[in-house]
Amino acid sequence: MSKPCNVISISNQKGGVGKTTTAINLASYLAEETNKVLLIDLDPQSNATSGLGLDVTKIKTLLYDCLAKKADIKDCIYPSSVESLHLLPASQDLAAMEVELVDCVSRETQLKLLIEPLKEIYDFIVIDCPPSLSLLTVNGLTASDYVLIPVQCEFFALEGLSHLVQTLESIRLHLNPQLEIAGILLTMFDSRTTLSREVVDSARRFFKKLVFQTIVPRNVRLTEAPSHGIPILMYNPHCQGAEAYSELTQEVIERVS
Ligand code: ADP
Ligand code: MG
């Protein structure tokens, strides 16, 4: 029998915490390990789409079109610069889906239904969620087996996590009992500041083993790579940021298998 497909949402309702950076780089390292991987861009800001070099003005069918039932999902999947990593891209149109879904029967399970046939094709599906606890995010979490939560090593970083945890509880209770937290990932760590170290200490104190061993350092290469439309493993595979995401990928594989 083939191995099961793991669906992992990258989610935190705060913006700028490293969700998209994590989604792109985790997905590409998973693909490098000979897994077949699909990255779904569920954020209307479409940073994962542009970060993998796809120009949405040049393609006809995107995630919005399949959620709106205007296109078949298989016609909305594109190759990326990494072999075995495919992308289901987003554009600003996706923001309208938030409103359109409201009147839809089983509005929280639309993405789950859409990706069901893809689970035979892919080993991993990674979903880059928007910075909100909106209906799109609920669709992402309902379609997932796991959620990975990036947390920036900044003041107030842990604030809001209890709201996210409550949302996860509610999704587990009403929509998706299988949903598990894959882990909390500390990002943009700056070893020179006591604040960064304090955030790491309090995250480990509160969330214990849920916090990944890997901590992603603040690394300018990680911000440069998306402007070239490639992940860090192609842009600068030996920088500290690349090493961290490579290690994180091993931890994720261990936790979900
Ligand atoms: P989100 O998707 O949560 O909004 P992003 O992944 O887009 O967050 O990251 C926000 C900004 O921080 C982006 O400009 C990104 O390039 C930058 N960034 C993310 N992770 C790091 C890091 N480890 N070091 C330095 N900059 C980072
Ligand atoms: Mg993002």
Side-chain angles (χ1 to χ4, degrees):
M1 231 180 84
S2 61
K3 39 179 188 170
C5 172
N6 288 296
V7 185
I8 308 174
S9 267
I10 315 297
S11 188
N12 184 332
Q13 75 273 30
K14 284 197 183 184
V17 297
K19 288 184 291 299
T20 302
T21 306
T22 301
I24 290 177
N25 292 305
L26 172 65
S28 54
Y29 276 110
L30 284 170
E32 200 196 39
E33 295 272 327
T34 70
N35 292 296
K36 282 193 163 171
V37 185
L38 175 68
L39 175 57
I40 300 181
D41 191 350
L42 193 57
D43 185 354
Q45 289 177 43
S46 62
N47 297 144
T49 300
S50 55
L52 276 176
L54 224 76
D55 180 353
V56 288
T57 60
K58 297 206 175 112
I59 51 180
K60 285 203 193 108
T61 45
L62 301 107
L63 177 58
Y64 170 81
D65 303 285
C66 46
L67 279 171
K69 303 190 175 61
K70 289 176 185 164
D72 189 281
I73 191 156
K74 290 188 180 154
D75 295 328
C76 303
I77 292 174
Y78 298 84
S80 75
S81 41
V82 182
E83 213 187 319
S84 18
L85 172 59
H86 292 168
L87 178 68
L88 183 46
S91 70
Q92 280 175 355
D93 290 0
L94 195 56
M97 208 61 225
E98 197 71 61
V99 182
E100 289 172 33
L101 277 175
V102 170
D103 292 328
C104 174
V105 180
S106 58
R107 58 190 178 179
E108 298 93 351
T109 51
Q110 292 302 303
L111 185 67
K112 182 185 170 72
L113 294 173
L114 268 183
I115 67 170
E116 209 48 57
L118 303 178
K119 292 186 182 174
E120 282 174 24
I121 304 171
Y122 295 101
D123 302 311
F124 288 91
I125 298 178
V126 176
I127 304 177
D128 186 23
C129 289
S132 62
L133 292 174
S134 63
L135 198 45
L136 281 172
T137 299
V138 171
N139 264 270
L141 295 171
T142 303
S144 296
D145 305 301
Y146 297 95
V147 54
L148 185 157
I149 307 169
V151 167
Q152 190 183 350
C153 294
E154 272 294 336
F155 205 51
F156 295 137
L158 302 180
E159 218 188 44
L161 272 193
S162 58
H163 192 187
L164 179 57
V165 169
Q166 271 171 20
T167 306
L168 295 177
E169 291 292 328
S170 158
I171 288 175
R172 240 183 247 131
L173 195 63
H174 301 290
L175 295 160
N176 180 10
Q178 276 109 307
L179 182 65
E180 273 182 55
I181 300 181
I184 293 173
L185 174 68
L186 296 162
T187 66
M188 296 184 232
F189 177 79
D190 184 344
S191 58
R192 293 165 306 178
T193 69
T194 19
L195 180 60
S196 262
R197 290 196 298 274
E198 277 168 15
V199 174
V200 173
D201 288 346
S202 31
R204 292 214 194 281
R205 208 170 329 117
F206 283 115
F207 297 102
K208 307 204 162 62
K209 293 213 163 128
L210 266 187
V211 182
F212 286 107
Q213 285 301 317
T214 307
I215 296 177
V216 182
R218 192 169 273 286
N219 180 232
V220 70
R221 302 286 170 250
L222 289 169
T223 63
E224 292 166 357
S227 63
H228 298 271
I230 49 177
I232 198 69
L233 70 85
M234 292 176 77
Y235 181 66
N236 195 325
H238 302 298
C239 69
Q240 284 192 338
E243 277 167 13
Y245 277 110
S246 170
E247 280 164 23
L248 170 74
T249 304
Q250 294 309 321
E251 273 196 83
V252 169
I253 291 172
E254 275 166 34
R255 286 193 184 198
V256 305
S257 53

